């Protein structure tokens, strides 16, 4: 009898449970790998055989009824809450998985993972609860989504997940005979899912092909990572996740997992498992497999992992593999985890570089290697040079005309080769110029770009190269949010091509479009408009009305119309643009246009439609691209803007905080998109009266955005006006006045005095001045701006309504000053105006205050009739 003191009991129990999940013909081989010694294997095999005999016995229909109902599988038609069980589709050592139909509130097919009867030990319950909590922390298109959780009437815990209709990764790859790029594309999806889990503080610890299913969708194959049952939360120190018996599958377990004394397993354990999976995708075998792919016993696996030599995938694959894949696999499978890829993203990035034929992080740091990668990407150029060299050699025996033609071709090829050499030399010198000893070990893109300015100036000998390189630098600066630097390089590149190839050269038109986009991103529509017009004119002449930039130009002009205060014109353009995007299936463009149109509709008061479009754009971006994609961040900002304009402050803050955390990690704290999200968060915190949290955010954003984006950038002005609102709410009216005056001056400089946002800033400034008791100073301006806003935005606009109420209260204060200065007739007229405003807006408190003041004014003037009239208004 095995007692609780048996040190091998836990391992034995888990090995037997896992073996019983496998087909009978594979169980012996599995136990060879899972059991450390012969004695343990014999005991496990005996238990498996006993369980098998019991199952065979119970398969007799007449005897199934003898099994207690509590331990039978659930029959079809059973109910678990609102779920109707259809069939058993899987079974593990601790749980059963059923296909079921959710009946309400929506009808859909799901998978229910149900804890087995009797498996209610503390450790198993903890593990089951851990998986439920783990899945709840994650939301990713490549991770099976948890939908619900609970317990049956009998107390058995269950988790409801999406039903993944797919085959295990390796089986799908083998079945489809996928080529190398397709295999690596699936592997990258697995990496993205695991990286998402790591960012949520979760280590899977049992990654293997059987825990990665591949389902087919309209977009092609998609992976789903499943079974987080033994995942370890990074912040969990419970008994469940400490060191002890081996947790995981030995052939995929990292060396530290195989070390019983090591209780410190981190995310690099999953990096190792991904390395094993990559190795298997490349070769059809695991690194620890024996000859003919035979699985080894656990003791042999331990020896191979700890002491064995690494056999590169290229030496075991049936097809030829590039040596770079050997480098990636070796790095991922390093025995010392400090030598391994530090993160899953680092591993995935090298795989992506391989697919793009770029230099790897694990490649040799030689110019020869980097130039070789460049040469492969520009093979046509170098082939031309080789052909011309041959022509030169053959030309010696050709006729004179042939010699002349060969010499011309040779000269052209030399020019092309010199351009290629200049490009390669630029890249090499740029890498060398950004010396790590000057900027630190982690050289950033901006360091390399800044170091390239002098080198670019020396490339004038090759105009096409100079323009192309400056274009790349300009686009990179744009992506980094450095709009002024982007403009500088793009203008120079376009000017070089105009001088060298003429104004209609298509590469010049491409550069002009990038320049217009950079100017638009910095809020300089006035400067962008003539460039947009030139692009459209020249592109139509060269490529026709449906030229490649027709869609982008429509988008830019819609933004320019909106910025100029013509919201209806912008909405019409964006509706036409959305129809084109949907017709052509450009889902990225659809997401962008949905967000832009939602913001424009907000300005026209169509709030319900605006929210539907913003939500649709964000949901589409997350579903297709994941929540950490740049497009998702921008779609999320549109949704935040809608919440801000519709005063959904709690919802705004709850949405903005996790979005901001992801943006800081993915884009950096100084990226314009990150700062835009942070501005919305500060806005919500202000309106929720959380001033102590919002104020430091605003002070940093106001200063930083002005430096980074420029004083006239819309985002910098929004932060400035938001900060002024916070100061006003805190009663710091003098500084609020200064900030609003600055914001108003910027808006008028950029958009003119009649702009809607400029009017709103003018209204806020008048209100702050009036609150300081300086009513006479703003009397005329206050009335003027309220009238202008009513005419532009309408009385239904929230800003207009609040502005009219504040103006009426200002009139009460103005009347007091007029009365104190002996201007009683003027005071009476001011009070009558205030009463009329309050009365029209059904502001009973303000209406009563104005009527009481009018009664007192009439009594002071000896007007008994007037006093009686206003007393009647008080009744």
């Amino acid at each position: 009898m095995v007692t609780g003191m048996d040190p091998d009991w836990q391992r034995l129990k888990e090995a037997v449970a896992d073996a019983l999940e496998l087909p009978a013909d594979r169980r012996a081989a599995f136990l060879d790998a899972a059991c450390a010694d012969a004695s343990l294997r014999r005991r496990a095999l005996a238990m498996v055989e006993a369980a098998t005999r019991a199952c065979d016995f119970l398969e007799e229909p007449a005897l199934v009824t003898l099994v207690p109902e509590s331990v039978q599988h659930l029959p079809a038609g059973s109910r678990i809450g609102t779920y109707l069980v259809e069939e058993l589709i899987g079974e593990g050592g601790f749980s059963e998985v059923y296909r079921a139909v959710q009946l309400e509130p929506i009808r859909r097919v799901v998978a229910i993972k149900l804890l087995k009867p009797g498996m209610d030990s503390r450790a198993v319950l903890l593990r089951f609860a851990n998986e439920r909590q783990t899945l709840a922390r994650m939301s990713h298109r490549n991770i099976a989504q948890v939908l619900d959780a609970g317990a049956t009437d009998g107390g058995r815990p269950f988790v409801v997940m999406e039903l993944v209709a797919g085959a295990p990764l390796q089986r799908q790859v083998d079945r489809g005979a996928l080529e190398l790029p397709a295999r690596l594309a699936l592997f990258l999806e697995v990496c993205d899912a695991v990286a998402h889990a790591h960012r949520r503080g979760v280590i899977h610890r049992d990654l293997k092909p059987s825990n990665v299913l591949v389902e087919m969708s309209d977009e092609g194959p998609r992976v789903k990572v499943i079974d987080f049952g033994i995942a370890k939360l990074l912040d969990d120190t419970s008994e469940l996740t400490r060191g002890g018996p081996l947790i995981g599958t030995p052939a995929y377990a990292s060396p530290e997992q195989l070390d019983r004394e090591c209780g410190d397993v981190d995310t690099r354990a999953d990096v190792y498992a991904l390395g094993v999976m990559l190795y298997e995708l490349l070769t059809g075998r695991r690194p620890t497999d024996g000859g003919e792919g035979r699985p080894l016993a656990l003791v042999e696996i331990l020896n191979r992992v700890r002491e064995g030599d690494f056999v590169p995938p290229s030496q075991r694959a049936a097809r030829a593999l590039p040596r770079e894949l050997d480098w990636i696999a070796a790095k991922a499978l390093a025995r010392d985890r400090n030598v391994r890829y530090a993160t899953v993203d680092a591993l995935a990035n090298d795989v992506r570089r391989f697919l793009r034929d770029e230099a790897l992080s694990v490649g040799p740091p030689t110019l020869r290697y980097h130039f070789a990668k460049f040469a492969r990407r520009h093979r046509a150029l170098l082939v031309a040079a080789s052909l011309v060299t041959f022509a030169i050699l053959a030309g010696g025996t050709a006729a004179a005309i042939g010699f002349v033609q060969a010499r011309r071709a040779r000269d052209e090829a030399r020019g092309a080769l010199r351009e290629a050499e200049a490009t390669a030399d630029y890249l090499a010198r740029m890498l060398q110029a950004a010396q790590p000893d000057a900027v630190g070990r982690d050289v950033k893109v901006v360091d390399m770009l800044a170091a390239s300015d002098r080198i670019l100036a020396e490339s004038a000998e090759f105009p096409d190269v100079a323009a192309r390189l400056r274009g790349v630098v300009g686009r990179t600066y744009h992506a980094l949010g450095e709009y002024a630097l982007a403009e500088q390089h793009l203008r120079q590149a376009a000017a070089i091509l105009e001088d060298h190839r003429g104004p209609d050269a298509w590469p010049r038109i491409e550069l002009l479009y990038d320049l217009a986009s950079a100017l638009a991103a910095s809020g300089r529509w006035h400067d962008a408009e003539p460039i947009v017009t030139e692009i459209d004119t020249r592109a139509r002449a060269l490529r026709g009305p449906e030229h490649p930039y027709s869609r982008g130009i429509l988008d830019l002009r819609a933004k320019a119309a909106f910025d100029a205060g013509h919201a209806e014109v912008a909405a019409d353009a964006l509706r036409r643009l959305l129809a084109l995007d949907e017709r052509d299936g450009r889902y990225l463009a659809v997401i962008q246009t949905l967000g832009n149109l939602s913001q424009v509709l907000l300005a026209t008061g169509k709030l319900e439609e605006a929210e539907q479009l913003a939500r649709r754009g964000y949901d589409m971006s997350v579903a297709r691209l994941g929540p950490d994609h740049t497009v998702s961040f921008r779609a999320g900002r549109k949704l935040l803007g809608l919440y801000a304009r519709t005063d959904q402050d709690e919802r705004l803050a709850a949405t903005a905080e996790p979005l901001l955390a992801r943006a800081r990690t993915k884009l950096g704290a100084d990226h314009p998109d990150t700062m835009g999200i942070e501005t919305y968060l500060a806005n919500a915190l202000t309106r929720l009266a959380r001033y102590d949290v919002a104020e430091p955010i605003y002070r940093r954003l106001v200063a930083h955005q002005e430096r980074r984006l420029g004083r006239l950038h819309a985002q910098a002005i929004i932060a400035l006006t938001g900060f002024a609102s916070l100061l006003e709410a805190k009663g710091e009216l003098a500084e609020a006045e200064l900030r609003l005056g600055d914001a108003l001056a910027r808006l008028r400089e950029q958009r003119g005095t009649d702009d809607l946002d400029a009017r709103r800033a003018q209204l806020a400034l008048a209100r702050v001045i009036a609150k300081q008791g300086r009513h006479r100073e703003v009397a005329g301006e206050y009335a003027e701006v309220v009238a202008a806003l009513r005419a532009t935005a309408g009385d239904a606009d929230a800003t207009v309504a609040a502005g009219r109420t504040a103006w009426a209260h200002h009139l009460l204060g103005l009347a007091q000053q007029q009365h104190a200065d002996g201007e009683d007739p003027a005071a009476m007229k001011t009070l009558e105006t205030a009463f009329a405003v309050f009365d029209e807006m059904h502001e009973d408190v303000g209406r009563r205050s104005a009527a009481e003041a009018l009664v007192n004014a009439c009594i002071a003037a000896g007007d008994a009739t007037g006093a009686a009239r206003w007393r009647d208004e008080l009744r």
Side-chain angles (χ1 to χ4, degrees):
M1 179 177 181
V2 179
T3 69
M5 298 299 294
D6 188 337
D8 290 323
W9 170 241
Q10 181 66 27
R11 180 181 299 178
L12 181 65
K13 184 171 67 172
E14 293 181 2
V16 170
D18 289 341
L20 288 172
E21 292 186 52
L22 301 172
D25 59 349
R26 293 177 55 193
R27 291 171 181 170
F30 173 81
L31 292 174
D32 285 341
C35 297
D37 55 61
S39 173
L40 190 65
R41 183 188 178 282
R42 282 196 301 272
R43 293 164 64 188
L45 189 58
M47 292 176 66
V48 168
E49 290 174 351
T52 303
R53 285 195 300 272
C55 290
D56 292 340
F57 175 75
L58 292 174
E59 283 177 1
E60 295 295 328
L63 296 176
V64 170
T65 57
L66 300 177
V67 180
E69 186 177 348
S70 62
V71 298
Q72 292 179 23
H73 293 148
L74 297 181
S78 300
R79 290 285 294 266
I80 302 177
T82 61
Y83 303 95
L84 181 67
V85 173
E86 290 190 334
E87 62 175 329
L88 180 74
I89 57 175
E91 186 172 4
F94 304 106
S95 59
E96 302 161 349
V97 182
Y98 293 91
R99 174 189 173 96
V101 176
Q102 182 179 0
L103 302 176
E104 57 183 37
I106 60 174
R107 191 176 182 88
R108 57 183 168 185
V109 180
V110 298
I112 298 181
K113 189 169 187 176
L114 179 65
L115 193 65
K116 282 186 174 181
M119 293 296 179
D120 54 355
S121 69
R122 178 175 177 273
V124 174
L125 288 173
L126 280 173
R127 183 174 297 175
F128 200 83
N130 179 49
E131 178 175 17
R132 186 167 66 188
Q133 293 302 319
T134 298
L135 289 170
R137 291 177 67 157
M138 295 178 292
S139 175
H140 193 276
R141 68 195 296 266
N142 297 121
I143 295 177
Q145 183 181 0
V146 62
L147 305 173
D148 193 7
T152 65
D153 293 339
R156 293 166 62 184
F158 67 85
V159 177
V160 182
M161 296 175 291
E162 65 172 306
L163 181 66
V164 181
L169 176 62
Q170 191 64 43
R171 187 190 307 167
Q172 182 69 33
V173 166
D174 295 341
R175 178 192 299 165
L178 297 182
E179 295 299 323
L180 182 60
R183 293 174 184 235
L184 294 179
L186 292 177
F187 177 74
L188 286 172
E189 289 192 25
V190 181
C191 289
D192 288 344
V194 177
H196 172 83
H198 289 180
R199 286 191 287 272
R200 295 296 180 277
V202 178
I203 312 172
H204 192 290
R205 297 205 301 174
D206 195 22
L207 287 169
K208 54 187 175 183
S210 61
N211 280 341
V212 178
L213 302 181
V214 181
E215 63 176 0
M216 302 305 296
S217 68
D218 293 340
E219 302 172 9
R222 175 188 295 178
V223 305
K224 289 281 187 179
V225 180
I226 63 171
D227 201 352
F228 280 82
I230 61 171
K232 171 186 174 182
L233 300 183
L234 295 181
D235 56 2
D236 184 6
T237 57
S238 71
E239 234 176 80
L240 179 65
T241 58
R242 290 179 188 163
L246 170 63
I247 292 182
T249 304
Y252 298 88
S254 64
E256 58 269 26
Q257 284 177 277
L258 296 173
D259 184 354
R260 283 188 171 189
E261 303 302 320
C262 178
D264 177 25
V265 175
D266 60 23
T267 56
R268 290 169 292 182
D270 283 350
V271 171
Y272 186 93
L274 287 168
V276 178
M277 291 173 63
L278 175 62
Y279 196 103
E280 194 169 359
L281 285 172
L282 297 174
T283 67
R285 303 180 181 184
R286 295 167 298 194
T288 55
D289 284 351
E292 304 299 327
R294 177 182 60 84
L296 302 178
L298 180 58
V299 66
E300 294 178 274
I301 292 176
L302 289 171
N303 289 336
R304 288 201 176 204
V305 170
R306 291 170 178 165
E307 302 171 9
D309 293 331
F310 172 77
V311 180
S314 60
Q315 296 181 22
R316 303 187 76 177
R319 68 185 77 185
L321 290 176
R323 61 176 180 165
E324 289 161 308
L325 292 174
D326 291 343
W327 301 343
I328 294 173
K331 179 82 170 177
L333 293 167
R335 283 195 287 267
D336 182 352
R337 58 181 170 180
N338 292 317
V339 178
R340 248 175 259 158
Y341 286 105
T343 65
V344 173
D345 282 330
L347 165 61
N349 286 339
D350 258 354
V351 174
R352 290 188 175 95
R353 291 186 189 102
F354 168 79
L355 290 172
R356 294 194 298 261
D357 209 8
E358 297 175 358
L360 308 184
S361 70
V362 291
T366 61
L367 288 178
R368 178 179 179 180
Y369 169 64
H370 286 266
F371 182 76
K373 301 302 293 183
F374 168 82
R376 268 201 292 273
R377 294 198 303 276
H378 299 82
R379 186 174 287 112
L381 194 63
L382 298 182
V383 167
S386 300
L387 290 174
V388 172
T389 302
F390 175 79
I392 293 171
L393 295 175
T397 58
I401 187 170
F403 175 77
V404 171
Q405 291 173 339
R407 186 170 62 182
R408 184 183 300 116
R410 178 199 64 195
D411 292 342
E412 291 175 354
R414 281 179 175 172
L417 186 58
R418 289 173 66 198
E419 287 192 7
E421 289 173 344
T423 303
D425 179 63
Y426 161 75
L427 294 172
R429 292 172 66 190
M430 184 177 70
L431 289 168
Q432 292 171 341
Q435 292 292 340
D437 58 0
V439 296
R441 184 182 176 202
D442 296 327
V443 179
K444 298 180 180 179
V445 174
V446 290
D447 301 323
M448 298 174 65
L449 293 176
S452 70
D453 288 346
R454 177 179 51 82
I455 303 168
L456 282 170
E458 299 172 4
S459 62
E461 182 182 356
F462 305 101
D464 285 337
V465 173
R468 185 166 60 250
L469 294 177
R470 284 197 180 276
V472 170
V473 172
R475 294 181 188 106
T476 305
Y477 272 131
H478 186 178
L480 293 171
E482 299 284 358
Y483 302 125
L485 292 169
E487 178 191 355
Q488 171 189 328
H489 285 280
L490 291 169
R491 280 193 185 279
Q492 291 182 29
I496 291 170
L497 282 182
E498 184 173 9
D499 291 343
H500 178 56
R501 299 176 62 176
D504 287 330
W506 190 256
R508 175 180 177 269
I509 294 172
E510 291 175 332
L511 287 165
L512 288 178
Y513 182 80
D514 293 326
L515 174 59
S517 299
L519 291 170
S522 63
R524 294 168 55 193
W525 297 108
H526 181 74
D527 294 330
E529 178 57 33
I531 299 174
V532 169
T533 300
E534 180 183 358
I535 296 167
D536 199 19
T537 301
R538 295 189 186 279
R540 284 174 182 271
L542 293 169
R543 303 286 176 92
E546 296 294 327
H547 61 79
Y549 292 118
S550 57
R551 184 211 164 273
I553 286 172
L554 188 59
D555 186 38
L556 287 172
R557 284 186 165 151
K559 292 176 182 175
F562 180 65
D563 199 62
H566 307 304
E568 291 292 353
V569 175
D572 179 66
L574 288 172
R575 289 188 192 280
R576 288 187 285 124
L577 187 58
L578 181 61
L580 289 175
D581 293 338
E582 290 178 327
R583 182 198 68 185
D584 297 337
R586 292 188 288 241
Y587 73 88
L588 286 175
V590 168
I591 293 169
Q592 175 184 329
T593 306
L594 285 169
N596 291 338
L597 181 55
S598 73
Q599 304 304 291
V600 172
L601 292 176
L602 270 178
T604 63
K606 298 176 181 176
L607 306 183
E608 185 175 349
E609 184 183 3
E611 182 163 357
Q612 290 174 352
L613 294 177
R615 171 55 65 183
R616 180 184 163 203
Y618 182 62
D619 290 346
M620 183 184 295
S621 66
V622 171
R624 286 182 170 268
L625 304 169
D628 295 333
H629 196 281
T630 304
V631 173
S632 296
F633 291 132
R634 290 174 182 165
R637 279 186 61 191
K638 304 295 185 184
L639 192 59
L640 297 180
L642 184 138
Y643 292 155
R645 290 290 295 275
T646 54
D647 297 328
Q648 300 182 61
D649 300 317
E650 293 282 3
R651 197 172 183 186
L652 196 163
T655 305
E657 287 175 340
L659 191 65
L660 177 60
R662 292 199 302 272
R664 282 173 173 160
T665 300
K666 189 74 174 181
L667 305 176
D670 294 340
H671 194 279
D673 285 337
T674 305
M675 291 190 290
I677 294 168
E678 197 167 12
T679 300
Y680 280 126
L681 176 59
N683 179 279
L685 294 172
T686 297
R687 293 195 294 202
L688 293 170
R690 295 169 60 184
Y691 306 135
D692 57 331
V693 181
E695 183 168 356
I697 296 176
Y698 267 133
R699 289 196 181 276
R700 180 174 54 80
L701 283 174
V702 166
H704 195 72
Q705 289 193 112
E706 182 174 343
R707 289 195 303 269
R708 179 76 185 271
L709 304 176
R711 60 184 296 274
L712 296 183
H713 194 279
Q715 193 166 304
I717 298 172
I718 289 171
L720 185 60
T721 54
F723 183 35
S725 297
L726 181 146
L727 294 168
E728 180 184 355
K730 289 183 65 180
E732 299 176 12
L733 300 178
E735 186 178 0
E737 180 183 347
L738 288 173
R739 300 290 184 173
L740 282 168
D742 186 9
L744 178 59
R746 296 186 196 187
L747 284 166
R748 284 175 168 172
E749 181 180 347
Q750 183 194 47
R751 308 180 188 181
T753 57
D754 294 331
D755 174 73
L756 186 61
D757 287 331
R759 291 291 192 191
R760 288 186 173 123
Q762 184 184 6
L763 177 65
L765 179 59
R767 182 181 64 244
V768 167
I769 292 173
K771 281 185 177 182
Q772 297 176 73
R774 292 151 51 199
H775 296 287
R776 284 184 178 278
E777 186 176 326
V778 293
E781 184 178 3
Y782 215 149
E784 175 192 337
V785 70
V786 168
L789 278 172
R790 291 185 71 187
T792 305
D795 287 344
D797 184 87
T799 303
V800 173
R804 292 182 69 198
T805 299
W807 174 52
H809 282 288
H810 146 74
L811 291 174
L812 295 179
L814 176 61
Q816 287 181 343
Q817 289 186 353
Q818 290 171 331
H819 176 70
D821 293 339
E823 302 173 10
D824 291 333
M828 184 70 73
K829 289 183 179 179
T830 300
L831 287 171
E832 289 174 351
T833 303
F835 178 87
V837 174
F838 284 129
D839 189 50
E840 184 178 349
M841 298 187 69
H842 305 290
E843 294 276 354
D844 290 337
V845 175
R847 181 179 179 278
R848 188 171 186 84
S849 297
E852 288 175 348
L854 283 163
V855 169
N856 294 332
C858 289
I859 291 172
D863 182 2
T865 303
R869 173 197 165 198
W870 291 112
R871 282 196 189 95
D872 289 340
E873 294 291 349
L874 287 171
R875 294 193 180 99

